[in-house]
């Protein structure tokens, strides 16, 4: 068995590029509506640095920072983001010191925390790294994302690399989704916990945040809720 994202890192950009652009646009809207500028940004579980890249492309002059558990993903982020402060690290530890105006955690990274106590640990750590008026933006996948995908087997071809994705849902408790990516070199198995909106909102409140907004990310094909949700919150 191959560690998560060791092989997927090669094709990650081809599958998640447009979503990163979408989230960066949302950050720009928040800045405009709130009449503020985020001067320092940390992307927790930043992957290959796509969100930070799009913030920079959109004209942000913020000091950029990020961390990720996968050295392979972070290696690509370093190439993409010269000058950014990047390091290997776990969500639960939050290895970068702040304070930050904006902390983001996207690409359903929260779902990789199988124990809600670890999600709360991340939220508390993030709160401790933020300015008093800082903003937290986090996304996660709900059961709606996976309800019709149990048993899905889907081939992909990205950048000339062929691989297969298989999804298996265990309703639990706790509800766990196992996604297996099969490459010619071997398999990566990704385990994620389904989080519902009320559960995440409660964890945020218990961690000292006030929720500003909860947004359904719409499916690009039919403009219905995709099951991915974005929450924004500030320090209470």
């Amino acid at each position: 068995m191959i560690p998560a994202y060791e092989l997927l890192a090669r094709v990650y950009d081809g599958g998640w590029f447009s979503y990163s652009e979408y989230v960066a646009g949302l950050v720009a809207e928040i800045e405009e509506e709130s009449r503020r500028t985020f001067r320092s940004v940390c992307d927790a579980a930043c992957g290959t640095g796509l969100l930070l890249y799009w913030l920079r492309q959109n004209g942000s002059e913020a000091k950029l920072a990020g961390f990720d558990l996968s050295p392979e993903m972070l290696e690509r982020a370093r190439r993409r983001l010269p000058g950014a402060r990047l390091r290997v690290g776990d969500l639960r530890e939050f290895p970068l010191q702040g304070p930050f105006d904006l902390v983001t955690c996207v690409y359903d990274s929260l779902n990789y925390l199988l124990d809600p106590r670890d999600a709360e640990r991340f939220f508390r750590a993030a709160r401790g790294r933020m300015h008093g008026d800082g903003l937290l933006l986090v996304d996660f996948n709900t059961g709606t994302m996976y309800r019709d995908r149990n048993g899905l087997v889907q081939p992909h071809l990205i950048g000339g690399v062929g691989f297969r994705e298989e999804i298996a849902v265990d309703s639990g408790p706790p509800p766990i989704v196992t996604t297996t990516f099969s490459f010619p070199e071997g398999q990566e198995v990704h385990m994620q916990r389904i989080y519902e909106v009320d559960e995440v909102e409660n964890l945020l409140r218990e961690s000292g945040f006030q929720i500003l907004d909860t947004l359904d990310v719409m499916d690009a094909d039919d403009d219905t809720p995709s099951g991915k949700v974005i929450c924004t919150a500030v320090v209470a």
Side-chain angles (χ1 to χ4, degrees):
M1 201 68 63
I2 296 172
Y5 291 105
E6 184 172 310
L7 295 176
L8 196 62
R10 295 181 300 168
V11 298
Y12 190 85
D13 290 357
W16 285 264
F17 200 82
S18 60
Y19 179 67
S20 303
E21 184 179 11
Y22 164 77
V23 176
L26 183 61
V27 170
E29 290 179 14
I30 292 171
E31 286 186 302
E32 183 177 356
E33 292 175 2
S34 62
R35 297 183 180 180
R36 63 176 298 184
T37 300
F38 298 125
R39 301 292 184 186
S40 54
V41 178
C42 180
D43 190 16
C46 64
T48 63
L50 284 174
L51 175 56
L52 296 176
Y53 165 82
W54 276 112
L55 292 177
R56 184 173 281 178
Q57 288 296 107
N58 288 350
S60 173
E61 297 181 358
K63 294 180 180 179
L64 302 180
F67 62 91
D68 197 275
L69 196 58
S70 166
E72 290 77 17
M73 297 283 271
L74 207 61
E75 178 184 349
R76 286 162 172 78
R78 289 192 176 105
R79 293 200 298 263
R80 171 171 282 131
L81 297 164
R85 184 159 54 112
L86 302 170
R87 65 177 297 180
V88 174
D90 191 296
L91 274 180
R92 294 162 293 188
E93 302 300 331
F94 209 114
L96 293 176
Q97 295 300 314
F100 298 103
D101 293 329
L102 173 66
V103 172
T104 58
C105 180
V106 292
Y107 318 119
D108 50 90
S109 299
L110 188 73
N111 294 90
Y112 282 90
L113 300 178
L114 305 184
D115 189 331
R117 290 173 296 185
D118 286 335
E120 183 177 357
R121 183 177 170 186
F122 162 64
F123 289 148
R124 290 186 182 277
R127 184 177 180 273
R129 303 295 195 277
M130 294 167 59
H131 282 293
D133 62 347
L135 180 78
L136 174 70
L137 184 153
V138 60
D139 78 5
F140 55 95
N141 290 344
T142 68
T144 300
M145 172 69 75
Y146 299 108
R147 192 165 293 127
D148 299 322
R149 299 189 183 192
N150 190 21
L152 174 72
V153 179
Q154 184 174 1
H156 297 278
L157 180 63
I158 299 178
V161 178
F163 62 100
R164 186 175 71 252
E165 176 184 9
E166 301 176 63
I167 296 176
V169 181
D170 182 346
S171 58
I176 299 294
V177 179
T178 302
T179 305
T180 304
F181 295 97
S182 300
F183 292 85
E185 301 92 330
Q187 290 184 328
E188 288 186 13
V189 176
H190 297 231
M191 295 184 66
Q192 294 177 287
R193 185 187 191 279
I194 293 174
Y195 282 96
E196 300 298 349
V197 172
D198 58 347
E199 185 175 20
V200 172
E201 289 184 340
N202 286 336
L203 287 169
L204 284 166
R205 293 189 186 99
E206 290 168 4
S207 303
F209 283 98
Q210 176 186 341
I211 296 161
L212 295 182
D213 196 14
T214 302
L215 169 70
D216 286 314
V217 178
M218 307 307 285
D219 191 293
D221 295 327
D222 56 13
D223 202 33
T224 59
S226 66
K228 184 183 289 293
V229 172
I230 294 175
C231 275
T232 53
V234 294
V235 176

